[in-house]
């Protein structure tokens, strides 16, 4: 759980660092976006506290650059009072929150908490999807085909007829699929197929 | 008649026949009468008659013919006689005929020259791009010849009797009429404005004084009811009948005046905008500069509290927070000190100033603005104001600010009661200036007006009076405000008299 902070004023940067550390969070402090990009990318849940006014660069431009490069880190914008109209742009570009200066430490800590929670959720979701994909790749092509037909709701007999196999063979394939995919029930398998996006493919291919 | 070629030809013929018959009659009289050649002088009448033809050759021919007739008449009557008094009489007649012919021919040339120059004048008059008209002001001359200036009634009478004798098309266009002829024979009373009446009065006074090159700027109404601004140039031609042919030239300056007004307006707006922007930007950047250390101080303080409130309080981290709080406090103080230095570097200049001319100049700068808002201004500047020491631009800024405030305070006052008065007088080592309005007065405590950010205007920054006071105080003076007993408010500032003056006093 790391909070990254980019602010060109070293004192403001240091004070935010001290505050976040006092609540037990890890912090990484940077005065420029370039230093942040040069550091190792975050591996655990994290968020970025970004000042809109940076020396030589607009924080909003940097935020958009991150989005273009696919760096999915929740951003909290901090702004002077004159920057608020600009910050609307930042919110549209997907910032989690923006705090006009001077903000209270409660506001900052609450914003960081919710940003971290959001990142944790995103990472878990991404991790789940990765695991499912790995299970699916363990299936043989035949098994994948059988899984596709099973989740469309066909009976073994119908699947056997479509694939020109015996019903026994289909049953064996089906058992393997359930085991390899770690599915508890047919409903479970259907849900997995949904998130992998294979059910639709099968429906199109076999005109079911 | 003169302009009709057929008519001219007929006239020449009639004259010709009359001259011929007269010549023959004289010849008969000369030959047949016992007057011994004295009659020959009458041939000069024939020559004069022929000059009416306005034809040089015709006149010379006539001269030659009557010369020959006089000579032949002599020989017919006195052939063979010894030379005597008839011959002398003939010689006199011949000289008379010669001289008359030559004079007639020369007169013709002079008349031609005159007509040419008359034509040239008319051409210039009609083709000139600027409006010109000739007015018959003989009534004015008759009224004013005894001296003295004209009363309004007299001016009115003069205006109604000053008929236009000629006008060019440009003049007609100026008054919004189709062509010059539509003005001729009439007067300009339809187009008069109060300003034109006043200008006419001034022009007449100047004419009576015998001034040359009289110029007046005034306003006329056009046929469509619009107003035009013109500069008039009035000339009375030399000669006894000059007053009946007064030449008036006009230059239309409506567009120039409008452009000038627009320019003044936009300059005023620009000045205001520039002042607001610089102040606004200055405030924003100062705010940012001070805000950074303050925000660090607050965050470090809160953070320090948290380090101490932990289950295992971390004294080292808390101490670090205190260090940073102290250094950021110093940083904020430094920003403030830099701003104060900046202000100190802009110390006011120490010119020797005369407030009287400065007040007049400031009023002149604002005159158009005051006129537009129908504010009448009265100046009461003592003649013997001693000079003060200070920065001309800054003192002018104070004057301008106070006058503009006064003007704005009277926005709700009926137009005829909008009076702004500026008075300046000296008393014991100081010069006092009072700017008085008849507006709404000051609702709050007068002192509160001078606090920074106090404003009663929707677009005010609330810095004007606060800055004015600091300028006056820097010059060693003071600025206060008070409500008038009847209505409105008075702003009073005093400035010390320049040192050298005080020692001399």
């Amino acid at each position: 759980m790391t909070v990254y902070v980019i602010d060109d004023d070293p004192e403001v940067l240091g004070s935010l660092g001290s505050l976040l550390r006092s609540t037990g969070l890890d912090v990484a402090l940077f005065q420029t976006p370039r230093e942040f990009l040069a550091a190792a990318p975050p591996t655990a849940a994290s968020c970025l506290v970004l000042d809109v006014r940076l020396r030589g660069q607009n924080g909003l431009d940097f935020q958009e650059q991150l989005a273009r490069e696919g760096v999915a880190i929740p951003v909290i914008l901090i702004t002077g009072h004159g920057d608020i109209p600009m910050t609307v742009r930042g919110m549209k570009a997907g910032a989690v929150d923006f705090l006009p200066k001077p903000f209270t430490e409660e506001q900052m800590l609450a914003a960081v908490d919710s940003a971290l929670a959001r990142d944790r959720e995103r990472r878990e979701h991404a991790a789940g999807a990765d695991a499912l994909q790995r299970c699916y790749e363990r299936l043989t092509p035949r098994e994948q085909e059988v899984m596709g037909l099973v989740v469309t709701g066909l009976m073994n007999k119908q699947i056997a007829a479509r694939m020109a196999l015996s019903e026994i063979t289909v049953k064996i394939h089906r058992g393997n699929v359930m085991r390899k995919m770690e599915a508890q029930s047919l409903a479970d398998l259907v849900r997995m197929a949904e998130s992998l996006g294979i059910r639709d493919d099968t429906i199109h291919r076999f005109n079911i | 008649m003169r302009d009709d070629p057929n008519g001219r030809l007929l006239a020449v013929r009639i004259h010709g026949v009359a001259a011929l018959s007269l010549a023959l009659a004289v010849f008969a009289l000369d030959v047949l009468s016992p007057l011994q050649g004295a009659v020959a002088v009458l041939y000069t009448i024939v020559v004069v008659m022929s000059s009416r033809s306005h034809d040089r050759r015709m006149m010379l021919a006539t001269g030659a013919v009557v010369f020959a007739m006089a000579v032949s008449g002599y020989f017919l009557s006195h052939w063979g006689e010894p030379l005597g008094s008839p011959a002398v009489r003939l010689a006199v007649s011949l000289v008379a005929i010669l001289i008359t012919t030559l004079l007639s021919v020369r007169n013709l040339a002079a008349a031609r020259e005159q007509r040419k120059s008359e034509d040239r004048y008319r051409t210039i008059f009609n083709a000139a791009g600027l409006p010109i008209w000739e007015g018959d002001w003989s009534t004015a001359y008759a009224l004013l010849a005894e001296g003295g200036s004209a009363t309004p009634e007299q001016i009115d009478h003069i205006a109604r009797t000053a008929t236009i004798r000629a006008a060019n098309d440009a003049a007609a266009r100026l008054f919004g009429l189709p062509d010059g002829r539509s003005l001729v024979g009439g007067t300009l009373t339809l187009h008069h404005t109060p300003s034109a009446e006043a200008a006419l009065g001034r022009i007449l006074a100047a004419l009576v004084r015998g001034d040359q090159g009289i110029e007046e700027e005034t306003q006329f109404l056009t046929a469509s009811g619009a107003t035009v601004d013109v500069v008039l140039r009035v000339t009375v031609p030399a000669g006894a009948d000059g007053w009946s042919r007064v030449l008036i030239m006009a230059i239309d300056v409506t567009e120039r005046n409008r452009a000038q007004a627009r320019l003044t307006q936009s300059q005023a707006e620009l000045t205001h905008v520039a002042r607001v922007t610089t102040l606004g930007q200055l405030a924003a950047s100062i705010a940012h500069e001070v805000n950074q250390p303050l925000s660090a101080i607050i965050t470090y303080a809160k953070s320090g509290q948290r380090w101490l409130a932990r289950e295992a309080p971390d004294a080292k981290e808390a101490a670090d927070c205190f260090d940073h709080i102290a250094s950021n406090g110093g940083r904020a103080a430094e920003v403030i000190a830099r701003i104060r230095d900046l202000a100190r570097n802009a110390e006011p200049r120490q010119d020797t100033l005369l407030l009287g001319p400065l007040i007049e100049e400031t009023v002149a700068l604002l005159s158009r603005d005051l006129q537009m808002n129908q504010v009448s201004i009265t100046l009461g500047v003592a003649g013997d104001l001693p000079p003060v020491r200070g920065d001309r631009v800054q003192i002018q800024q104070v004057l301008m600010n106070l006058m503009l405030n006064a003007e704005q305070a009277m926005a709700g006052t009926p137009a005829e009661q909008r009076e702004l008065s500026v008075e300046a007088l000296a008393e014991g080592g100081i010069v006092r200036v009072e700017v008085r309005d008849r507006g709404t007065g000051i609702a709050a405590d007068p002192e509160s007006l001078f606090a920074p950010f106090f404003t009663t205007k929707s677009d005010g920054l609330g810095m004007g009076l606060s800055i004015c006071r600091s300028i006056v105080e820097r010059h060693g003076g003071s600025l206060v405000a008070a409500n008038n007993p009847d209505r409105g408010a008075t702003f009073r500032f005093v400035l010390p008299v320049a040192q050298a003056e005080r020692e001399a006093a």
Side-chain angles (χ1 to χ4, degrees):
Chain A
M1 296 262 278
T2 311
V3 181
Y4 295 83
V5 187
I6 309 179
D7 192 316
D8 61 352
D9 186 309
E11 288 297 327
V12 174
L13 192 64
S15 66
L16 281 171
S18 173
L19 178 71
L20 294 165
R21 279 187 296 107
S22 76
T23 64
L25 291 164
D26 286 336
V27 293
L29 307 179
F30 307 98
Q31 284 196 36
T32 65
R34 196 182 316 176
E35 289 172 33
F36 168 77
L37 290 173
T43 49
S46 56
C47 71
L48 171 63
V49 176
L50 177 65
D51 190 3
V52 168
R53 283 194 204 195
L54 296 169
R55 200 163 302 140
Q57 193 180 8
N58 179 325
L60 297 177
D61 292 346
F62 177 62
Q63 183 199 359
E64 281 166 14
Q65 181 189 333
L66 285 179
R68 271 201 308 278
E69 290 174 7
V71 180
I73 186 166
V75 175
I76 298 161
L77 295 169
I78 51 179
T79 76
H81 82 102
D83 311 331
I84 288 170
M86 290 203 308
T87 313
V88 173
R89 184 183 129 199
M91 291 303 282
K92 284 189 178 151
V96 181
D97 209 338
F98 87 92
L99 301 175
K101 290 178 188 174
F103 43 78
T104 65
E105 96 275 21
E106 285 95 349
Q107 286 172 320
M108 173 53 77
L109 294 172
V112 165
D113 273 349
S114 80
L116 288 173
R118 181 188 290 214
D119 199 45
R120 202 177 310 121
E121 209 170 287
R122 181 189 64 82
R123 279 171 180 278
E124 279 165 9
H125 182 82
D130 283 355
L132 202 60
Q133 190 66 38
R134 276 197 297 278
C135 292
Y136 184 65
E137 282 161 7
R138 288 209 311 258
L139 302 182
T140 64
R142 270 283 187 228
E143 287 166 351
Q144 289 184 351
E145 213 171 330
V146 168
M147 176 176 165
L149 290 165
V150 165
V151 296
T152 58
L154 293 180
M155 313 298 274
N156 290 348
K157 201 182 292 180
Q158 293 165 303
I159 296 170
R162 276 184 190 263
M163 295 182 65
L165 296 170
S166 70
E167 206 177 327
I168 291 287
T169 312
V170 172
K171 266 190 180 171
I172 291 169
H173 282 318
R174 186 169 178 160
N176 285 344
V177 168
M178 293 299 276
R179 193 170 36 77
K180 284 183 179 175
M181 292 301 293
E182 299 169 10
Q184 309 298 319
S185 61
L186 178 58
D188 211 7
L189 190 70
V190 172
R191 190 185 55 77
M192 290 174 182
E194 280 281 346
S195 67
L196 285 165
I198 55 177
R199 192 165 166 266
D200 293 350
D201 291 353
T202 316
I203 290 173
H204 286 301
R205 219 171 28 179
F206 291 99
N207 292 322
I208 295 167
Chain B
M1 175 134 179
R2 189 191 287 179
D3 299 341
D4 178 5
N6 292 336
R8 264 195 74 167
L9 207 60
L10 190 67
V12 168
R13 284 203 183 127
I14 290 170
H15 282 143
V17 170
L20 191 64
S21 27
L22 183 67
L24 290 173
V26 174
F27 184 73
L29 205 61
D30 188 15
V31 175
L32 305 174
S33 78
L35 286 173
Q36 303 286 347
V39 180
V41 175
L42 294 177
Y43 283 121
T44 55
I45 301 174
V46 179
V47 174
V48 170
M49 275 178 82
S50 80
S51 76
R52 311 251 343 222
S53 71
H54 296 290
D55 186 315
R56 192 159 167 273
R57 270 184 317 193
M58 170 75 97
M59 283 154 65
L60 289 174
T62 308
V65 167
V66 295
F67 190 91
M69 281 168 105
V71 172
S72 52
Y74 169 79
F75 282 114
L76 280 176
S77 312
H78 308 283
W79 186 251
E81 287 176 26
L83 288 180
S85 61
V88 175
R89 279 199 287 275
L90 170 70
V92 170
S93 302
L94 292 178
V95 168
I97 288 168
L98 269 174
I99 288 173
T100 310
T101 307
L102 287 174
L103 280 178
S104 297
V105 168
R106 269 197 46 196
N107 272 354
L108 178 70
R112 273 211 177 140
E113 268 315 302
Q114 199 179 350
R115 230 195 0 263
K116 253 192 210 158
S117 90
E118 179 77 10
D119 284 348
R120 265 205 302 273
Y121 169 71
R122 285 286 148 209
T123 308
I124 293 170
F125 187 92
N126 288 320
L130 81 159
I132 310 176
W133 61 97
E134 272 182 6
D136 181 352
W137 289 21
S138 21
T139 328
Y141 183 68
L143 271 174
L144 300 171
E146 294 90 54
S149 58
T151 62
E153 294 79 37
Q154 280 177 315
I155 289 173
D156 187 49
H157 176 66
I158 288 165
R160 275 186 290 105
T161 52
T163 48
I164 297 172
R165 296 167 58 113
N168 65 2
D169 288 349
R173 274 198 301 276
L174 175 70
F175 294 112
L177 295 166
D179 61 26
R181 280 198 293 264
S182 45
L183 276 169
V184 176
T187 67
L188 285 181
T189 43
L190 274 180
H191 301 283
H192 270 199
T193 59
S195 142
E197 300 275 343
L200 180 59
R202 286 195 300 273
I203 290 168
L204 289 170
L207 287 175
V208 170
R209 275 199 306 272
D211 292 1
Q212 294 300 311
I214 298 158
E215 271 191 13
E216 278 291 341
E217 184 167 343
T218 184
Q219 275 194 329
F220 282 119
L221 285 174
T222 66
S224 60
T227 53
V228 279
D229 296 356
V230 292
V231 172
L232 295 180
R233 201 182 166 87
V234 181
T235 318
V236 178
D241 65 343
W243 279 82
S244 64
R245 293 186 298 109
V246 175
L247 193 65
I248 301 129
M249 283 180 238
I251 297 168
D252 187 345
V253 292
T254 313
E255 204 38 53
R256 184 198 74 179
N257 288 358
R258 278 189 197 142
Q260 187 65 43
R262 277 198 299 270
L263 189 67
T264 317
Q265 178 68 19
S266 51
Q267 266 171 340
E269 274 166 15
L270 202 63
T271 315
H272 181 72
V273 167
R275 215 166 35 179
V276 169
T277 346
T278 45
L279 253 176
Q281 279 171 340
L282 192 67
S285 71
I286 291 172
H288 183 78
E289 283 299 306
V290 178
N291 222 342
Q292 293 287 82
L294 286 183
S295 120
I297 288 172
I298 293 164
T299 310
Y300 270 122
K302 289 290 176 186
S303 167
Q305 282 178 335
R306 284 175 184 269
W307 284 115
L308 293 177
R310 280 160 77 118
E311 278 178 23
D314 193 324
K316 197 171 154 301
E317 286 282 5
D320 183 52
C321 287
F322 290 137
D323 275 350
H324 280 286
I325 289 170
S327 65
N328 277 294
R331 200 175 127 202
E334 223 171 89
V335 173
I336 304 289
R338 275 214 308 276
I339 293 169
R340 207 183 292 127
D341 281 347
L342 197 70
R344 202 171 294 130
N345 289 344
E347 274 298 329
R349 298 166 48 100
Q350 292 291 314
D351 308 324
T352 306
L353 288 182
L354 282 169
L355 283 181
L358 190 64
I359 288 171
E360 279 160 24
E361 186 188 313
T362 313
V363 169
L365 275 177
L366 294 176
S367 67
R368 212 168 258 280
D369 202 49
L370 292 166
Q371 231 168 39
M372 233 154 27
N373 292 300
Q374 298 170 293
V375 176
S376 64
I377 180 148
T378 39
L379 285 183
V381 179
D384 56 345
L385 278 190
V388 297
R389 210 167 258 306
D391 187 317
R392 186 188 165 76
V393 174
Q394 291 191 0
I395 299 293
Q396 183 159 45
Q397 201 182 352
V398 172
L399 282 165
M400 206 178 250
N401 232 317
L402 296 182
M403 288 186 210
L404 284 174
N405 275 347
E407 179 191 282
Q408 282 159 348
M410 293 191 283
T413 309
E416 65 279 4
Q417 294 174 29
R418 288 180 199 157
E419 286 166 24
L420 165 63
S421 89
V422 182
E423 287 173 5
L425 52 99
E427 47 180 35
I430 58 159
V431 176
R432 195 172 65 206
V433 179
E434 294 189 353
V435 179
R436 186 174 298 114
D437 67 61
R438 300 183 55 74
T440 45
I442 305 162
D445 167 25
E447 268 311 290
S448 65
L449 301 188
F450 299 99
F453 313 116
F454 176 94
T455 183
T456 56
K457 302 172 203 164
S458 54
D459 60 344
L461 283 170
M463 295 302 286
L465 283 172
S466 144
I467 290 172
C468 283
R469 176 173 268 184
S470 64
I471 288 175
V472 174
E473 284 176 353
R474 267 206 189 160
H475 283 80
S478 63
L479 167 63
V480 291
N483 277 318
N484 299 334
D486 48 351
R487 77 180 291 182
T490 299
F491 285 77
R492 212 173 268 111
F493 70 88
V494 301
L495 290 171
V497 169
Q499 205 60 42
E501 291 294 318
R502 236 181 291 175
E503 283 159 12

